[in-house]
Amino acid sequence: MKNTAETVSGSAVKETEGDWALSEKKIKKKIIYKVGRILLALITVAAFFGMSVSELFCREAEREGFYAEVTPMEAAGPYLDRIAQEITSHLVELVAAESDDTVIKDYLVSQGVDVQLYRYKGVYPMWGTNSEPYKPKITLQVELNYYEETGRDIWCGFYISPNDRYYCVYYMRPDCPADAPIREASDSLQTLHDKWGTAMRTATAMEIAFALCIGLRLFLFLKKRRKRHEKREREPGFLVWRLAAPSVCAVGIILTERLMERGIIDWQFFPRILLRSTAATLILVAVLLQGTSVSRFFYRVFRWILRKAGRVICSILRKFPPLPSGILLYVGGSGLELFLCFRTKWYWALAVWIVEKAVVLGAGVYLFVCGKRFLAAGELLAQGELDHEVNTAGMAGPLRRHGENLNSIGQGISRAVEAKMKSERMKTELITNVSHDIKTPLTSIINYSRLIGDQKTENETITEYAQVLLRQAERMKKLLDDLIEASKAASGSMEVHFAPCEVDVLLSQAVGEYQSRLEEKQLELRTVQPEETIRILADGQLLWRVFDNLFNNVYKYAQEGSRVYLNVEKAQDSVRIIFRNMSKFALNISAEELEERFVRGDKSRHMEGSGLGLAITRSLVELQNGRMELLVDGDLFKVTLLFGLLEDEDGTNADNR
Amino acid sequence: MYHILICDDEKDIVNALKIYLNDSAYILHEAYNGREALQIMERETIQLVLMDIMMPEMDGIETMVKIREKSNVPVILLTAKSEDSDKILGLNVGADDYITKPFHPMEVCARVKSQLRRYLQLGGSNARKEALRCGGIELDDKEKKVLCDGEEVSLTRTEYEILKLLMENQGQVFSPRDIYRRIWNDSPYGSENTVAVHIRHLREKLEINPAEPRYLKVVWGQGYKCEKHG
């Protein structure tokens, strides 16, 4: 007893321990996740800072030696050899005297210098430290590049700018000797270059780290968002505005930097470091505040602005008719592209071209895929496959709406069809059940009226009345049978066993069944059919019932002593079976009316029959993929049955003699 | 004296059947559901059962299965269900014949007689081996005689030949053309109807209900065959 209690409590403890362990695990996981997130944010910001600082350092190195704003002689002095110094000083004089380009070129050529002379009009987009390109005095820029690969080569470049002209001269000494002063110059440059290279490498590494951090953050964010999306906590537009905020920030920073480089915003008063650090601080703050009410507030404001802007743009776009606005958009885009191609550097044009092509390709593929899905869905819908659903995953806006509309059309139709089928089935079931229930009392009525009729009695009226009862009860039985058959055939709940059927065999069998009855009414049967065997795909049993009904019609309604024609005609891929007879009664109603249920050839309804015969016949023919046509022309009554020919090589030729 | 059990939940139908089968040769027992029928079967030696399918407590099919566990007495099912599937189900669980409601008294009498004769007279003594047999039909080629449920049937020569052909090849379908060629030894051009008429006559002579033949079946659109009976 004690033992069991112990074990019970033991297991309970274990369970709670397990629970606790689980929750501890959860908490640990959560803490790790939180710490990881903050760590990631810190690394991101650090990478950003590092990137900015090293880039700045890089620029400083460039400013120190690579792009020195000094007098030509000061700049060239320590680095250039004697010939170069001479040429430079003379060149400065020539430029100061506003000599022609040809004079300058001639002088340089005469000095044996391999010369490339460029002349720029307007603003030369300088990338570097030149903040006043329009200074009226002569400015000479010396660019010295040290090349590690060759070691000894020094390229010397001059930018000489009187007013709106820039001259760029490259002095090349591939055969420069290994001794000083070039060596000194190169050593000094080497140090500078090393500094610059380290800064550059650090910047690249930091950029990669930054990009990785951003990628990781995005991945975590998407993962989390999917989880939330599954729980239906957020609306689908969430990702868009969440991603929009940082991207707008990034674009802003890039634009500001570009403007500063162009000298439009003064670089000196708004140093890059300040801009970058501000941005980094903002990102850090945003990351740390993520998930708190402050950030949610900002996000909400931001989302509101974006939505408002989107709505305004949409409403403006909607006001334009689609065709002109489309043309306008296309022409505008093309114009912009053309402008970029001709007015900017080739690489900008190339970049724009690539981006544009990528966008157009993406849009094209997107539209193609969507269109294909719609097309497939539409075709399936038209074929009657109503269960098919358009996959709207990845669709947006009007396309998504269109897909959803298609789906709801399909669903609506299939619902209606289902309801119709169900009601039709229920009708058949009802008729069948009711008929069976009626049959049992009917059996007794028939039996006892027959018994009464068989009684030996002197009162003949009793016998006569009993016979009336019996006749009417028998008629009711026939009616019930027809009713069941008609409803089953019409609702398609009849099983059809298709098999190859020989028309002439079936006809001869049917004629054999009815021969004596036709003779009884002096009806002469004239059969015309092709000699060859004609095969159709049908259910022999059902086809016999079709013929049975039609012969029965002939037997009941044909004028006694007249001829009945039965023709079989073979067309290219179908066969016609035609019944023609003269009606005993005037058929003063149309063929359609004749076929309607409960309408019979004789309006007085004094013949035995349910009036369902033709309706049943039609349903049975249609169940076997055939067609039935009725024609009433005066007293001529004509039924045409149309069936598809069964193409079977051995079948059609086997019995052909 | 044959003991016949009539089983139907409708009292009027049982009474009507009793009147139809009012014969000094029959002793009639009545039951109103499957359970009662089984009880009577325990007490009496029954030679034939006439039974409805749709009955309260225990339906005809279930009763049928119970009866077949012990005896092979002929059972005729009475049913308002005229669907083929129900008939096939009835025959598959062991019924010997069926009559659809509403029935004709002559048909009931004929089927009862036929079953009794087969069960009691022919069932024990199938001595004549040279005779061709198919269910209740027996064809003796030596004496040129055809017996249907033990009674001799007079057939014309052509009818006899056709029946012999079909009975010699039970289960095989013959097209009217084949039959004509074999019996008349002639090309059947334009005279296939003759075969159909002869077979119709044969059915009228041999079958209780020619519209629903048990032995000489019409395979519509293909030909005729004699159903194989075990």
Side-chain angles (χ1 to χ4, degrees):
Chain A
M1 194 66 204
K2 212 178 169 186
N3 231 351
T4 48
E6 257 176 17
T7 50
V8 164
S9 66
S11 71
V13 164
K14 244 183 196 171
E15 235 178 76
T16 47
E17 257 180 6
D19 263 9
W20 193 74
L22 199 77
S23 66
E24 194 186 34
K25 218 174 171 185
K26 255 187 180 172
I27 289 168
K28 251 187 191 169
K29 209 173 159 191
K30 230 174 179 176
I31 288 170
I32 286 169
Y33 187 75
K34 276 254 166 167
V35 169
R37 238 176 61 173
I38 293 168
L39 219 67
L40 185 63
L42 287 173
I43 291 169
T44 313
V45 174
F48 192 78
F49 265 114
M51 187 175 89
S52 302
V53 169
S54 43
E55 216 174 293
L56 275 174
F57 191 75
C58 200
R59 296 289 167 269
E60 280 303 308
E62 281 169 7
R63 188 215 283 265
E64 236 175 65
F66 286 43
Y67 297 94
E69 194 184 347
V70 287
T71 59
M73 295 324 293
E74 275 171 5
Y79 304 133
L80 299 181
D81 61 12
R82 196 180 48 77
I83 308 163
Q85 280 182 24
E86 267 175 29
I87 293 168
T88 309
S89 60
H90 193 75
L91 205 59
V92 171
E93 277 166 29
L94 278 173
V95 173
E98 294 193 4
S99 317
D100 276 340
D101 288 345
T102 45
V103 177
I104 296 170
K105 199 176 176 184
D106 284 346
Y107 163 68
L108 287 169
V109 168
S110 70
Q111 291 299 308
V113 176
D114 190 5
V115 163
Q116 283 171 297
L117 187 65
Y118 298 98
R119 182 181 166 146
Y120 296 95
K121 283 240 172 180
V123 178
Y124 179 69
M126 287 293 290
W127 191 90
T129 57
N130 185 14
S131 54
E132 289 174 313
Y134 291 106
K135 267 184 194 165
K137 63 170 187 175
I138 300 164
T139 305
L140 183 75
Q141 281 189 335
V142 182
E143 185 180 328
L144 286 166
N145 292 331
Y146 175 79
Y147 287 91
E148 233 168 345
E149 293 81 24
T150 46
R152 294 180 302 168
D153 299 359
I154 288 177
W155 290 37
C156 174
F158 304 90
Y159 292 97
I160 304 164
S161 67
N163 292 331
D164 60 342
R165 281 192 276 175
Y166 278 84
Y167 293 95
C168 173
V169 179
Y170 288 97
Y171 167 60
M172 294 183 222
R173 282 289 307 272
D175 56 336
C176 185
D179 50 1
I182 293 160
R183 171 52 60 197
E184 287 164 26
S186 65
D187 283 351
S188 149
L189 272 174
Q190 176 70 66
T191 325
L192 202 61
H193 184 268
D194 286 349
K195 242 166 91 182
W196 180 80
T198 315
M200 208 57 170
R201 273 192 291 278
T202 317
T204 313
M206 289 294 169
E207 270 167 15
I208 290 167
F210 182 68
L212 277 177
C213 285
I214 292 288
L216 194 60
R217 271 199 58 73
L218 197 69
F219 171 72
L220 287 175
F221 166 70
L222 282 176
K223 212 172 133 191
K224 204 171 170 187
R225 185 187 161 264
R226 172 161 289 194
K227 252 188 197 165
R228 278 184 181 169
H229 193 62
E230 275 166 9
K231 288 186 201 163
R232 294 176 186 279
E233 280 178 9
R234 299 272 171 157
E235 56 229 84
F238 186 66
L239 179 68
V240 179
W241 62 262
R242 191 113 190 219
L243 283 182
S247 48
V248 166
C249 276
V251 168
I253 291 170
I254 290 165
L255 268 179
T256 322
E257 283 189 5
R258 288 286 157 266
L259 287 174
M260 288 190 324
E261 278 160 13
R262 290 279 184 118
I264 294 168
I265 295 176
D266 198 339
W267 171 245
Q268 303 294 332
F269 295 107
F270 197 75
R272 192 191 293 247
I273 185 80
L274 189 66
L275 180 76
R276 293 251 175 154
S277 54
T278 314
T281 317
L282 276 176
I283 289 172
L284 182 64
V285 167
V287 166
L288 290 178
L289 283 180
Q290 196 178 16
T292 64
S293 55
V294 181
S295 80
R296 246 174 264 146
F297 170 75
F298 275 109
Y299 276 133
R300 227 165 275 161
V301 169
F302 196 74
R303 184 174 59 177
W304 183 81
I305 292 167
L306 268 184
R307 280 198 177 163
K308 251 314 191 248
R311 242 170 251 165
V312 167
I313 289 167
C314 279
S315 68
I316 289 168
L317 281 177
R318 257 183 224 136
K319 271 178 193 161
F320 286 104
L323 190 66
S325 59
I327 291 171
L328 207 71
L329 209 70
Y330 184 75
V331 169
S334 306
L336 188 72
E337 198 186 348
L338 216 61
F339 170 79
L340 285 168
C341 281
F342 284 104
R343 293 300 305 213
T344 57
K345 284 265 153 45
W346 64 272
Y347 45 82
W348 285 116
L350 184 71
V352 167
W353 185 82
I354 287 168
V355 167
E356 192 220 324
K357 289 297 148 198
V359 167
V360 168
L361 180 73
V365 166
Y366 177 66
L367 284 175
F368 179 73
V369 167
C370 289
K372 210 156 180 207
R373 278 191 211 160
F374 290 148
L375 200 70
E379 259 167 20
L380 285 174
L381 246 158
Q383 282 166 15
E385 264 194 50
L386 305 168
D387 297 337
H388 182 79
E389 290 238 328
V390 185
N391 182 10
T392 51
M395 291 188 187
L399 289 172
R400 191 187 190 92
R401 277 211 300 283
H402 182 55
E404 278 161 2
N405 287 345
L406 267 180
N407 283 348
S408 59
I409 288 171
Q411 281 159 9
I413 296 174
S414 69
R415 262 203 297 277
V417 168
E418 212 168 278
K420 172 96 177 116
M421 292 283 282
K422 201 179 163 194
S423 87
E424 198 61 38
R425 266 204 309 276
M426 278 173 75
K427 205 167 81 188
T428 309
E429 226 164 85
L430 183 76
I431 289 173
T432 316
N433 286 342
V434 168
S435 303
H436 281 149
D437 287 348
I438 291 171
K439 266 189 186 172
T440 309
L442 194 63
T443 308
S444 287
I445 294 171
I446 289 173
N447 288 329
Y448 285 92
S449 53
R450 194 172 277 137
L451 286 172
I452 294 169
D454 291 348
Q455 290 292 312
K456 286 194 178 72
T457 170
E458 262 129 66
N459 196 344
E460 274 186 25
T461 35
I462 289 181
T463 319
E464 197 184 306
Y465 290 173
Q467 276 166 359
V468 173
L469 264 180
L470 184 63
R471 197 170 63 236
Q472 294 302 326
E474 292 274 8
R475 201 176 137 190
M476 196 165 157
K477 176 199 161 203
K478 174 91 176 93
L479 225 134
L480 278 174
D481 285 339
D482 280 1
L483 199 64
I484 294 171
E485 195 173 4
S487 71
K488 272 168 81 183
S491 68
S493 54
M494 202 176 253
E495 271 182 57
V496 186
H497 306 281
F498 281 104
C501 250
E502 291 179 21
V503 174
D504 53 339
V505 170
L506 186 66
L507 270 182
S508 74
Q509 285 174 328
V511 170
E513 296 292 315
Y514 270 91
Q515 186 114 320
S516 56
R517 275 198 268 177
L518 294 179
E519 277 164 8
E520 180 190 309
K521 293 229 172 170
Q522 294 115 44
L523 289 165
E524 191 187 325
L525 185 69
R526 291 275 175 102
T527 314
V528 179
Q529 54 180 343
E531 279 180 38
E532 59 193 308
T533 301
I534 295 168
R535 276 166 191 253
I536 59 173
L537 197 64
D539 183 330
Q541 191 63 36
L542 295 185
L543 206 56
W544 153 242
R545 267 143 91 173
V546 168
F547 281 60
D548 192 18
N549 271 325
L550 291 175
F551 271 117
N552 208 22
N553 257 359
V554 167
Y555 171 68
K556 275 193 287 190
Y557 299 118
Q559 175 64 47
E560 275 140 44
S562 67
R563 277 180 285 272
V564 176
Y565 292 88
L566 179 51
N567 290 30
V568 180
E569 289 169 8
K570 189 186 164 194
Q572 193 154 23
D573 53 357
S574 65
V575 59
R576 281 168 187 279
I577 304 162
I578 306 164
F579 281 75
R580 274 177 296 187
N581 68 273
M582 286 320 225
S583 177
K584 196 182 336 185
F585 307 101
L587 292 164
N588 47 3
I589 49 169
S590 69
E592 289 84 48
E593 272 182 290
L594 199 66
E595 202 193 334
E596 294 264 314
R597 292 178 190 180
F598 297 108
V599 174
R600 298 210 312 273
D602 58 328
K603 279 221 161 167
S604 55
R605 300 192 167 215
H606 61 261
M607 295 284 294
E608 174 198 342
S610 61
L612 283 164
L614 285 173
I616 294 173
T617 309
R618 173 175 291 265
S619 299
L620 289 175
V621 169
E622 279 165 6
L623 271 179
Q624 298 172 77
N625 303 326
R627 266 199 354 248
M628 184 175 101
E629 284 160 16
L630 274 188
L631 182 86
V632 174
D633 189 0
D635 275 348
L636 172 71
F637 178 74
K638 180 180 172 187
V639 183
T640 309
L641 304 179
L642 205 87
F643 287 99
L645 212 57
L646 183 66
E647 287 301 338
D648 188 345
E649 282 160 38
D650 1 321
T652 42
N653 297 328
D655 297 304
N656 230 351
R657 280 148 297 147
Chain B
M1 296 291 264
Y2 306 123
H3 291 257
I4 297 177
L5 174 63
I6 303 170
C7 180
D8 197 315
D9 57 322
E10 198 77 21
K11 220 174 175 149
D12 293 333
I13 289 175
V14 174
N15 283 336
L17 284 168
K18 277 172 77 178
I19 295 165
Y20 292 153
L21 297 171
N22 190 10
D23 192 306
S24 56
Y26 301 146
I27 297 167
L28 303 170
H29 302 267
E30 50 198 87
Y32 299 103
N33 61 50
R35 221 172 286 284
E36 284 180 27
L38 287 175
Q39 280 164 10
I40 292 171
M41 294 279 293
E42 300 244 313
R43 278 205 314 269
E44 307 280 341
T45 337
I46 300 291
Q47 271 89 30
L48 184 111
V49 181
L50 265 168
M51 189 162 57
D52 189 23
I53 286 186
M54 285 202 277
M55 284 188 298
E57 290 200 45
M58 192 189 263
D59 70 12
I61 299 291
E62 207 183 329
T63 316
M64 178 80 242
V65 175
K66 284 265 160 70
I67 291 172
R68 278 284 170 267
E69 282 172 5
K70 287 177 185 162
S71 113
N72 63 340
V73 62
V75 177
I76 301 177
L77 291 177
L78 287 171
T79 172
K81 288 189 173 185
S82 51
E83 280 94 343
D84 291 338
S85 58
D86 294 313
K87 285 178 193 167
I88 291 163
L89 177 68
L91 294 176
N92 274 348
V93 294
D96 296 272
D97 209 343
Y98 55 86
I99 302 172
T100 47
K101 285 181 191 175
F103 40 76
H104 199 279
M106 300 280 282
E107 190 183 340
V108 177
C109 291
R111 288 196 193 269
V112 166
K113 230 188 239 172
S114 150
Q115 288 299 331
L116 278 175
R117 232 182 266 129
R118 282 181 59 199
Y119 179 59
L120 297 169
Q121 298 178 349
L122 307 171
S125 62
N126 36 1
R128 282 173 293 187
K129 277 186 179 155
E130 62 270 31
L132 287 165
R133 298 194 60 184
C134 170
I137 302 174
E138 203 177 298
L139 186 140
D140 190 342
D141 200 29
K142 275 186 184 158
E143 296 177 32
K144 304 286 176 204
K145 229 167 58 177
V146 175
L147 298 174
C148 180
D149 293 326
E151 273 179 19
E152 192 171 340
V153 184
S154 72
L155 298 179
T156 65
R157 218 188 88 82
T158 320
E159 283 165 6
Y160 178 84
E161 292 290 333
I162 293 172
L163 183 66
K164 196 180 136 196
L165 173 68
L166 292 180
M167 282 183 75
E168 276 170 347
N169 304 284
Q170 287 183 28
Q172 190 183 333
V173 179
F174 289 92
S175 80
R177 238 174 264 122
D178 290 339
I179 294 173
Y180 195 92
R181 246 177 282 157
R182 290 196 185 211
I183 308 296
W184 277 265
N185 288 320
D186 197 1
S187 157
Y189 179 69
S191 27
E192 287 100 331
N193 293 356
T194 326
V195 175
V197 173
H198 279 292
I199 292 202
R200 169 84 198 176
H201 289 158
L202 254 180
R203 288 217 314 275
E204 275 162 6
K205 284 178 183 174
L206 294 172
E207 300 281 354
I208 292 165
N209 182 359
E212 279 184 42
R214 283 179 301 171
Y215 309 121
L216 296 175
K217 299 254 174 173
V218 185
V219 186
W220 297 102
Q222 289 176 27
Y224 302 93
K225 69 170 178 182
C226 181
E227 191 78 276
K228 242 181 194 165
H229 279 260

